[in-house]
Amino acid sequence: MMHEIRSTQPVEPFHLVLEFNSGEYRIVDIRPFLKGPVFEPLKNERFFKQVKVDRDAGTVVWPGDIDLDPDVLYEHSKPYLP
């Protein structure tokens, strides 16, 4: 199944609550993905909180064309009850 993200909310440091197209809410710690220079800006909490959903791509994005694969986020997330 291809996962798409409908909404996101930054919560505790470096965690996102994600709403998927299945209607599921899940929480993910993105710190394991912050490797390499492209993700360096995400280590800044103020920058991290600028997260948005790109509806065309179905995933989360940040300024500077930074994004993460929604299927990977789903696999590494845990169920969350809003």
Side-chain angles (χ1 to χ4, degrees):
M1 173 179 186
M2 275 192 58
H3 296 97
E4 291 184 13
I5 298 171
R6 289 184 185 165
S7 68
T8 187
Q9 178 68 39
V11 287
E12 53 190 281
F14 306 104
H15 286 71
L16 296 173
V17 172
L18 305 168
E19 177 191 7
F20 286 89
N21 59 329
S22 63
E24 288 179 87
Y25 285 85
R26 299 178 68 86
I27 189 165
V28 63
D29 179 354
I30 69 149
R31 287 176 290 191
F33 306 112
L34 303 182
K35 294 181 171 78
V38 72
F39 296 111
E40 193 65 30
L42 295 180
K43 293 178 181 177
N44 177 298
E45 195 170 342
R46 289 182 91 177
F47 187 87
F48 173 77
K49 289 181 178 180
Q50 294 180 41
V51 65
K52 296 190 180 343
V53 173
D54 179 329
R55 301 242 183 251
D56 293 332
T59 195
V60 292
V61 297
W62 288 266
D65 294 326
I66 301 171
D67 63 15
L68 293 167
D69 184 284
D71 290 323
V72 171
L73 291 171
Y74 186 90
E75 290 172 22
H76 288 89
S77 63
K78 297 178 183 174
Y80 178 83
L81 298 174

